[in-house]
Amino acid sequence: MMSDSLRAVLLGIIEGVTEFLPVSSTGHLLLAERFFGLGEDGFWKSFAILIQLGAILAIVALYFFKLTRVAIGALSNPDDRRFIIGVLIAFLPAVVIGLIAGKYIKALLFDPWVVCFSLIVGGAILLWVDQIDLKPREHDATRYPLMMYLWIGVAQCLAMIPGVSRSGATIVAAMLLGGDKRSAAEFSFFLAIPTMVGAFVYDFYKSRAEMTSDHLGLIAIGFVVSFVTAMIVVKAFLGYVTRHGFVLFAWWRVIVGTLGLIALALGK
């Protein structure tokens, strides 16, 4: 039987690898729980959300100087203030939809069949986006038009369907709205900060009464593993996607989704 510490490490690796790639971390974690027994009770379901903070801190660490410059510049620079407002505008749709329909989405859509179909459909969309001749007009994620931030935020709401991918939805939306691949990926990273910190605070508050010292230790393991893994993945991802596009991630999604459907059809 797998130890809890090893389970925390494996889930931390899955979170760190998949959170910022357009492959759906939630979808992969749900499939890991279903097929490998990595999260069969309430604590482990909360654990998957709580360790997202480790992945988010990887983004803060990697972009520390840029984020600090924007935060300080917001006091005197209208462009920096505008970017912060843009992130908040993009964040707002997910807050509204989450408060209104979050529990219904979890009850109805957090199903392995939905995850697998979403992975395949999302893979097909990535292949399509990679093939069309887009003409990027925006090359700096901190200087997108305000309406562009809003539409990216609307697209992020699609990721409430497990298997869609938050990063995939926001990157594709940014590219279709005129962003280049690198800036689209970077804005997806920036938007993840308030989105996932909000999810962390909400879930930690809900499950605080169930937390024991053992639970906190496991969360610390998953947190550190997801942090280190996300640091490595994000640095590699930006360079890779700028040069090669999304074909690898599209086929990754299609293969995982197809294997999942086969396993479900066989009664696994």
Side-chain angles (χ1 to χ4, degrees):
M1 186 176 178
M2 185 181 300
S3 71
D4 285 347
S5 296
L6 178 57
R7 185 180 306 191
V9 170
L10 291 175
L11 289 172
I13 291 172
I14 294 171
E15 167 63 27
V17 168
T18 60
E19 183 58 54
F20 299 109
L21 301 182
V23 297
S24 179
S25 61
T26 302
H28 280 72
L29 288 167
L30 284 172
L31 293 181
E33 292 168 4
R34 169 62 183 256
F35 296 124
F36 302 105
L38 293 182
E40 66 273 11
D41 60 32
F43 164 71
W44 289 104
K45 295 185 187 307
S46 293
F47 176 90
I49 296 174
L50 296 175
I51 63 171
Q52 289 179 341
L53 189 62
I56 283 301
L57 287 183
I59 293 297
V60 174
L62 287 170
Y63 287 94
F64 179 78
F65 293 108
K66 186 169 190 174
L67 293 171
T68 302
R69 178 188 61 75
V70 169
I72 294 173
L75 299 174
S76 57
N77 187 331
D79 287 337
D80 290 333
R81 280 198 299 273
R82 186 177 158 283
F83 172 61
I84 293 173
I85 291 169
V87 173
L88 294 176
I89 287 172
F91 173 53
L92 186 59
V95 175
V96 174
I97 298 299
L99 290 175
I100 293 173
K103 64 179 181 180
Y104 302 106
I105 291 170
K106 280 194 173 183
L108 297 173
L109 298 178
F110 273 52
D111 179 90
W113 290 94
V114 173
V115 171
C116 294
F117 280 116
S118 297
L119 285 171
I120 293 169
V121 171
I125 291 172
L126 281 179
L127 286 172
W128 169 70
V129 169
D130 223 38
Q131 296 302 313
I132 59 179
D133 185 21
L134 295 170
K135 306 293 184 185
R137 303 181 305 277
E138 306 291 341
H139 304 280
D140 184 347
T142 66
R143 298 294 181 265
Y144 284 172
L146 288 179
M147 282 304 297
M148 186 169 170
Y149 289 129
L150 176 61
W151 285 114
I152 294 170
V154 171
Q156 179 176 237
C157 295
L158 294 173
M160 292 182 182
I161 303 170
V164 168
S165 171
R166 188 203 60 79
S167 59
T170 52
I171 290 171
V172 166
M175 289 176 61
L176 293 177
L177 291 165
D180 65 5
K181 291 174 182 175
R182 187 178 186 90
S183 70
E186 286 191 328
F187 185 69
S188 175
F189 301 158
F190 298 145
L191 181 55
I193 296 173
T195 302
M196 292 164 59
V197 167
F200 171 88
V201 171
Y202 178 70
D203 211 85
F204 188 82
Y205 177 79
K206 284 198 310 179
S207 57
R208 68 192 186 286
E210 303 171 12
M211 294 295 170
T212 66
S213 57
D214 289 341
H215 286 162
L216 294 175
L218 293 171
I219 291 169
I221 293 172
F223 177 95
V224 171
V225 172
S226 68
F227 173 83
V228 173
T229 309
M231 286 273 286
I232 297 168
V233 168
V234 167
K235 292 177 74 172
F237 173 65
L238 277 175
Y240 181 89
V241 77
T242 301
R243 294 190 302 271
H244 304 292
F246 299 101
V247 173
L248 173 64
F249 308 107
W251 284 112
W252 174 347
R253 294 177 61 105
V254 170
I255 291 169
V256 171
T258 302
L259 291 175
L261 288 178
I262 293 170
L264 290 169
L266 293 174
K268 301 296 184 182

